[in-house]
Amino acid sequence: MAILEVQNVGKWFGSTEVLRDISFVLEKGETLAVIGSSGSGKTTLLRGLNFLERLDTGRIILRGETLFDAARNQDDEQSLREKRLHFGLVFQSFNLFPQYTALENIVLARELAARKLQSYKKNKKSVLDEIRREGMELLDQMGLSAKRDYYPHQLSGGQQQRVAIARALALKPDILCFDEPTSALDPELTGEVLNVIRGLSEKNTTMIIVTHEMPFARQVADTVLFMDGGLVVEYGSPQDVLENPLNDRTKRFLERYANE
């Protein structure tokens, strides 16, 4: 059974249709790369999946259960917050809290969630110790153990993005989503972030990656989805979409990319 099924989702901003009839399937442990020109709808799709934008049509099915149905759902904010926990989102611009250290940024959301549990008062110290231990494990996984007490302004862009990845992983989402994770980085820092994502792929982390890094998409993705004008134009294996595209729009996009 697929971990995620996206069925015929659409989104309007006023009179502009930005997503039209988007469908795809993601298996557990797979990586989906979403590519396309600026304005093609990639980020809106990702934000819709993460319940940061309300989709106007379609369904989102997670592990066989309907998580969202535009024809029925009118979720309140609490319900939306719970649904967002299924998806970890890493933004382009890090979005770390400047007043917290690297470790504090990673554990903050889990600590806040733990405080709502009935058992928290009785086991406060053990709960917080466990959350911080797991936070340190994630920092180590990112190669940043020595930076635990550093504030964001003391970290390079690549280090900040790795902290942001650890923060997303801390909530143990079903699917980890990346929105152009290297677009705000200098070229020399891009590689360190891509290496972390490559390592997650090798560990069979289920991921959706909006990216402009075509060689990277070719290396790590199990499937590639090319969007243009809010539509899925081409969808298949990296070899099919990136090496042997069938649609003229895909061919033109890849030619433009190759000439940049």
Side-chain angles (χ1 to χ4, degrees):
M1 179 187 294
I3 189 171
L4 179 68
E5 298 174 67
V6 175
Q7 299 179 347
N8 311 108
V9 301
K11 174 67 181 175
W12 292 77
F13 288 127
S15 61
T16 303
E17 189 176 23
V18 293
L19 296 177
R20 187 190 316 167
D21 201 28
I22 304 289
S23 299
F24 63 86
V25 174
L26 186 63
E27 300 291 336
K28 182 175 174 58
E30 285 189 343
T31 297
L32 169 68
V34 182
I35 63 172
S37 302
S38 298
S40 59
K42 308 184 301 299
T43 293
T44 302
L45 172 62
L46 212 56
R47 289 178 61 84
L49 294 177
N50 282 268
F51 298 95
L52 297 174
E53 298 283 357
R54 191 186 187 282
L55 297 167
D56 295 312
T57 61
R59 301 170 72 212
I60 300 172
I61 300 169
L62 185 76
R63 300 184 184 276
E65 296 187 8
T66 299
L67 196 62
F68 172 81
D69 185 342
R72 296 201 308 260
N73 280 31
Q74 293 293 332
D75 293 307
D76 58 28
E77 188 56 38
Q78 177 61 32
S79 176
L80 289 174
R81 280 197 296 267
E82 292 173 359
K83 291 181 177 184
R84 287 180 191 127
L85 294 176
H86 294 289
F87 300 86
L89 180 57
V90 179
F91 299 89
Q92 297 179 24
S93 54
F94 324 138
N95 285 7
L96 299 179
F97 295 109
Q99 70 272 36
Y100 294 121
T101 65
L103 179 60
E104 288 168 343
N105 265 281
I106 292 168
V107 302
L108 179 62
R110 281 197 64 194
E111 289 181 349
L112 292 174
R115 290 172 187 170
K116 298 177 182 179
L117 301 176
Q118 291 183 348
S119 59
Y120 176 73
K121 287 186 178 180
K122 291 183 179 179
N123 304 290
K124 179 178 177 180
K125 185 178 185 306
S126 62
V127 168
L128 293 180
D129 285 348
E130 176 65 12
I131 290 172
R132 292 203 161 226
R133 183 190 64 78
E134 292 184 4
M136 279 303 302
E137 288 180 355
L138 286 168
L139 269 178
D140 185 58
Q141 184 180 343
M142 299 296 125
L144 292 172
S145 296
K147 306 291 185 180
R148 58 170 289 172
D149 295 323
Y150 282 52
Y151 290 89
H153 76 272
Q154 297 172 305
L155 302 173
S156 70
Q159 290 169 341
Q160 289 185 61
Q161 191 62 298
R162 282 184 279 160
V163 171
I165 294 170
R167 179 179 60 181
L169 288 169
L171 291 171
K172 302 176 182 178
D174 294 289
I175 300 167
L176 187 58
C177 302
F178 295 87
D179 185 11
E180 298 277 13
T182 61
S183 65
L185 300 177
D186 294 333
E188 62 267 25
L189 299 177
T190 294
E192 65 186 55
V193 173
L194 294 183
N195 283 337
V196 167
I197 300 173
R198 191 176 291 109
L200 293 171
S201 177
E202 291 170 356
K203 293 180 180 179
N204 296 319
T205 305
T206 309
M207 296 186 287
I208 300 174
I209 307 173
V210 171
T211 183
H212 61 276
E213 301 281 350
M214 296 304 122
F216 177 71
R218 189 178 291 108
Q219 291 171 12
V220 304
D222 297 286
T223 51
V224 176
L225 186 152
F226 170 63
M227 293 182 65
D228 187 44
L231 291 165
V232 175
V233 175
E234 204 145 355
Y235 174 55
S237 70
Q239 182 176 4
D240 288 341
V241 176
L242 300 178
E243 306 294 342
N244 301 291
L246 299 176
N247 192 282
D248 287 340
R249 281 190 280 181
T250 314
K251 293 175 183 177
R252 288 195 297 271
F253 168 78
L254 293 172
E255 287 170 0
R256 287 199 306 271
Y257 170 82
N259 292 328
E260 288 180 355

